Amino acid sequence: MSELTGTTAPARPPAGRPPAPDPLAARLALLRSRVLRAVAERAAADPEAADDPLRGLYISDESALRLLDLPAGPLLPDPHEEEQAREIGAPARLAAVAAAFGLSAHDTDLLLVALAPDLDPRLERAYAYLNDDVSARRATTGLALRLCGSAQGSLQGRAALAPEGPLRSGGLLVVEDDGQPYASRPLRVPDRVTDHLLGRDTPPPGLARHLLGSSRAPGRVPAPLPDALTGVVTRLARAVTRPGLVYVRDRHGGPGPLVAESALHESEKGVLRVSLPSGADPEETGGLLRAALLEARLTGSGLVLEHAEALGDDPTAVRRAIEPLTALGVPVVLVGHRPWDARWAVALPLSLDCPTLREADRARLWRRELSAGDRGVAGTAGGVPEAAVTAVARYRLSPGQIRAAAEAACRRAVADGGEVEAGDLAAAARASAGGALGRFTRRVVPAVSWADLVLPEPTGSLVRDVAHRARHRDRVLGAWRMRPGGGRGQGVTALFSGPSGTGKTLAAEVVAAELGLELCVVDLAAVVDKYVGETQKHLDLVFQEAETVDAVLLFDEADAVFGRRSAGRDAQDRHANSETAYLLARLETFDGVAVLTTNLYAHLDPAFLRRFDVVAHFPAPGAQERRALWDRCLGGLPRAEDLDLDRLARGFDLPGGAIRCCAVTAAYGVAVTGGPVTTEDLLSAVRAEYAKLGRRYVEETETTGPRPGPGPAYRRRPGGG
């Protein structure tokens, strides 16, 4: 083991070639010589015995009388040591750190003095002797200044160790114990700085947990970028050639981080990508940012900070976190979804809007990732049907999410011992796109298809139109710009209205299944809050998360929050009107797919109707639709040969939801008896359904004819509810 650094000694060089000197070890050897001179100077004037075991723990009477005679001024320089220092030169990493942090020769000497006890344990006791305290084994402020030839009270020395100086503001040096007198405050070099000077470049655990990727090899990104991104990448690459902050506004799931990383590579810089944690304590976030800045400056990398919205909503807190990013000599790219707020920083950064990826761009990214040689499945892209790639390209995933989904699909194929199939891609894409929408929604994985939906033709066409719009919105609203201006989003919104049980919720699930997305049902009981302004905050969170996870958002019984605005006679009306006004504006900026259902069409505010892309009315099913519903709801249930579904369809005016309940009731009865389902079993289930609804059981026949109104299924009992 090396006596100086505590590391394993390098292999012996070949004979005839002298070993290469270690500049850092040589500089520390010169420092050790300087410390020995200081010890000798102190010992010559020290009245206490050098072998006193209690030395440094007490002050004797004789010592107290001679304390002021001890040497306290700067250690005089030694011309021989200075000449040796010039011959040795600065170690490569120390010189790079000095250049990156703007350190003077005096600052570099102070850093070496503070670093020395961590590399040479013998210097601990020497420092303790010079500090006259056996527990003070680090260099103190006064000792460091003295060893570097500065007086403790000199302006230059105090400026070098001031909080705004390059050593402390850059995170290279920590002055501890501010309660002590200035000259007695110990100095400490963070372990990450020590490791870097010794040649180790592993980020600390606190930073590694939030590190999404790092690259210290400058140069262009080997993977080609979509054409839509090259312009903003070129502009950003020119901006990051100078230190400072650049803000990239990106939509949820957009390519903003990839654009920032590509721009830094183009400007010949390494890249450090950090994800800011949501809901973290401000102190924790500040510590993470300081660690990220230190890592970026040590490695000569640019810094990409994702999820800027995690900094919070308080402008003062955001400004406190952002200000250090603008003061240090590191190019920093902050990626967020919100517009830049002028209150976040004194100096306005360059702000860029990142374009979203089109479906064709996402398809190319899928093919490229699936054909990568390190995915574990050779020739994968060629074995995947083009229809499957086109289908998963509909998911509005970022390039990073596409890369992760492709890796997951390939790992699944390797585990199954085969090629990547369409199901593997769909499952991986859904897992990448899906996410928790907090406590305000319930996630549903669609398990239905168009065959499960029985609707009259006009309504069925409108429901299919919702899926068509969601599938082609990138072309129509993006490439063709058919909804320009006004800050409008590229979302698709639909309103399904009609009586209960007519298939509105089922239709929303079928649309989600057609698009290959999850259905997120909003829990209105959790969204609506009695406190002023809280409902809007909850709804905004729901809309934001729905855009992030790329799911179909379902507001069931939407009239609870999308009701008509009133005249505003009291404060309660005004607050309700403000919620409705917020929803009107938020629907226009929404970038996802949202479906609203209601049984009370007349209760909706008319201003919402213009903002819906599709408005479909679900009527009560006729006899033909009821016949198809009975057949579909019975599914694989064993049926008797004389089962008369036409009688059930003609005789009982039931909606689809009630028919499904009757079929389930009959299925439980068949499970007990073990026989096939008969007409009588279904009639018994219909009677039970009528009793559950408090209705009078009457079967329609051709002789009696249809009755006016809603039909016998909804006729109230005399005196009943």
Side-chain angles (χ1 to χ4, degrees):
M1 299 291 288
S2 173
E3 181 183 66
L4 180 62
T5 63
T7 57
T8 304
R12 187 179 300 276
R17 183 188 304 171
D22 182 357
L24 182 59
R27 289 293 297 269
L28 290 175
L30 288 178
L31 174 61
R32 190 165 54 242
S33 174
R34 196 185 313 168
V35 171
L36 289 176
R37 289 196 293 113
V39 169
E41 183 180 317
R42 170 67 182 265
D46 194 347
E48 294 190 9
D51 58 352
D52 186 355
L54 299 180
R55 177 186 178 84
L57 295 179
Y58 75 101
I59 301 176
S60 64
D61 296 338
E62 184 180 358
S63 298
L65 295 175
R66 299 180 59 182
L67 282 177
L68 297 179
D69 295 331
L70 294 176
L75 188 67
L76 296 178
D78 186 338
H80 179 65
E81 290 178 3
E82 292 181 348
E83 182 180 354
Q84 283 185 300
R86 285 191 295 269
E87 292 177 357
I88 295 171
R93 290 219 167 195
L94 183 60
V97 167
F101 288 78
L103 304 183
S104 64
H106 184 258
D107 297 332
T108 306
D109 284 345
L110 289 172
L111 182 62
L112 280 174
V113 169
L115 177 70
D118 293 323
L119 303 181
D120 189 350
R122 296 172 298 178
L123 290 174
E124 293 183 39
R125 295 179 64 85
Y127 281 4
Y129 173 78
L130 293 174
N131 289 326
D132 197 23
D133 186 349
V134 294
S135 63
R137 293 173 172 261
R138 292 190 176 275
T140 59
T141 302
L143 177 59
L145 291 175
R146 182 166 182 261
L147 292 176
C148 293
S150 296
Q152 298 180 12
S154 68
L155 183 61
Q156 177 191 6
R158 294 181 70 94
L161 297 176
E164 65 275 8
L167 286 171
R168 294 180 62 181
S169 64
L172 297 175
L173 196 62
V174 178
V175 178
E176 298 179 332
D177 201 355
D178 290 342
Q180 291 280 357
Y182 179 79
S184 301
R185 297 173 188 174
L187 304 179
R188 179 177 61 84
V189 178
D191 292 341
R192 178 65 193 97
V193 178
T194 304
D195 291 344
H196 176 75
L197 293 175
L198 293 177
R200 182 171 180 264
D201 280 326
T202 301
L207 175 61
R209 286 195 297 269
H210 304 282
L211 199 61
L212 298 178
S214 61
S215 172
R216 298 181 180 87
R220 289 185 61 88
V221 178
L225 291 172
D227 295 338
L229 303 180
T230 53
V232 68
V233 169
T234 302
R235 187 180 180 194
L236 184 57
R238 289 195 294 262
V240 297
T241 54
R242 299 180 60 185
L245 179 65
V246 179
Y247 184 71
V248 174
R249 187 187 178 192
D250 186 27
R251 295 189 182 273
H252 293 278
L258 176 64
V259 167
E261 185 176 357
S262 302
L264 287 169
H265 276 291
E266 277 199 8
S267 60
E268 301 294 326
K269 296 183 183 297
V271 180
L272 199 68
R273 284 180 57 186
V274 178
S275 176
L276 298 176
S278 299
D281 182 83
E283 290 295 328
E284 179 183 352
T285 302
L288 175 63
L289 290 175
R290 288 190 294 271
L293 282 170
L294 175 61
E295 187 71 21
R297 299 185 77 180
L298 289 175
T299 58
S301 303
L303 189 58
V304 179
L305 299 175
E306 302 183 27
H307 310 303
E309 58 277 358
L311 295 174
D313 298 323
D314 182 11
T316 303
V318 176
R319 180 172 180 172
R320 190 180 300 115
I322 287 180
E323 276 186 346
L325 306 178
T326 63
L328 300 179
V330 176
V332 180
V333 182
L334 187 63
V335 182
H337 308 315
R338 297 180 294 184
W340 176 263
D341 191 333
R343 296 173 296 175
W344 289 349
V346 176
L348 290 177
L350 174 64
S351 185
L352 300 176
D353 285 333
C354 184
T356 57
L357 289 178
R358 296 171 295 184
E359 187 172 327
D361 296 328
R362 294 194 293 269
R364 283 193 290 270
L365 288 173
W366 273 104
R367 295 189 197 97
R368 188 185 73 198
E369 295 298 337
L370 290 172
S371 60
D374 58 349
R375 292 285 180 255
V377 180
T380 297
V384 178
E386 183 63 24
V389 176
T390 304
V392 294
R394 299 170 188 163
Y395 289 87
R396 306 180 75 184
L397 302 181
S398 67
Q401 289 175 317
I402 291 176
R403 183 181 301 113
E407 291 177 353
C410 292
R411 284 197 301 268
R412 182 172 177 174
V414 170
D416 295 339
E419 296 291 334
V420 176
E421 299 178 353
D424 299 327
L425 291 182
R430 184 179 288 113
S432 296
L437 279 170
R439 65 184 187 274
F440 302 120
T441 61
R442 173 175 55 88
R443 290 172 57 188
V444 176
V445 178
V448 293
S449 63
W450 291 108
D452 298 298
L453 192 62
V454 179
L455 293 172
E457 182 52 32
T459 305
S461 297
L462 289 173
V463 174
R464 287 184 176 86
D465 187 37
V466 177
H468 295 331
R469 286 172 177 261
R471 184 170 297 160
H472 300 293
R473 57 179 168 158
D474 283 346
R475 177 185 297 179
V476 174
L477 302 180
W480 295 348
R481 291 178 54 81
M482 298 303 295
R483 193 185 286 171
R488 296 179 178 88
Q490 297 184 10
V492 175
T493 54
L495 174 66
F496 295 164
S497 66
S500 177
T502 51
K504 301 183 295 297
T505 303
L506 180 64
E509 186 174 350
V510 170
V511 169
E514 173 68 15
L515 298 174
L517 304 177
E518 288 184 334
L519 182 69
C520 290
V521 184
V522 179
D523 183 4
L524 295 180
V527 168
V528 178
D529 198 295
K530 64 180 180 180
Y531 294 104
V532 176
E534 290 301 311
T535 300
Q536 290 95 317
K537 291 181 181 179
H538 296 169
L539 285 169
D540 186 63
L541 179 62
V542 168
F543 280 116
Q544 287 184 12
E545 291 297 323
E547 292 171 341
T548 302
V549 303
D550 201 16
V552 175
L553 196 61
L554 174 61
F555 288 88
D556 218 352
E557 308 296 342
D559 45 274
V561 290
F562 291 81
R564 284 178 176 268
R565 285 171 288 186
S566 59
R569 296 183 179 87
D570 54 23
Q572 184 175 358
D573 289 342
R574 287 193 294 272
H575 295 320
N577 290 344
S578 68
E579 293 176 1
T580 303
Y582 164 77
L583 287 170
L584 287 169
R586 191 62 180 87
L587 275 179
E588 286 198 330
T589 61
F590 184 51
D591 272 342
V593 181
V595 177
L596 286 71
T597 68
T598 179
N599 302 338
L600 304 171
Y601 178 84
H603 287 193
L604 291 178
D605 194 297
F608 282 111
L609 298 179
R610 178 182 63 81
R611 289 165 170 82
F612 290 122
D613 298 297
V614 176
V615 177
H617 180 69
F618 286 62
Q624 183 178 356
E625 287 84 17
R626 291 197 295 270
R627 172 65 171 76
L629 285 168
W630 276 109
D631 183 55
R632 189 68 189 172
C633 291
L634 289 176
L637 197 64
R639 307 182 187 186
E641 294 182 0
D642 59 347
L643 182 64
D644 191 357
L645 295 183
D646 291 327
R647 175 186 175 185
L648 294 165
R650 291 192 307 268
F652 303 99
D653 187 12
L654 292 173
I659 292 175
R660 182 174 297 277
C661 291
C662 294
V664 172
T665 300
Y668 277 112
V670 168
V672 174
T673 61
V677 64
T678 64
T679 304
E680 289 301 322
D681 293 331
L682 295 178
L683 290 174
S684 177
V686 171
R687 293 189 190 95
E689 185 69 17
Y690 275 27
K692 182 174 68 175
L693 298 174
R695 313 297 183 186
R696 183 162 60 92
Y697 173 81
V698 176
E699 181 179 351
E700 293 285 359
T701 62
E702 294 181 359
T703 58
T704 59
R707 291 180 172 84
Y714 295 96
R715 178 170 298 172
R716 299 181 181 273
R717 291 177 177 175

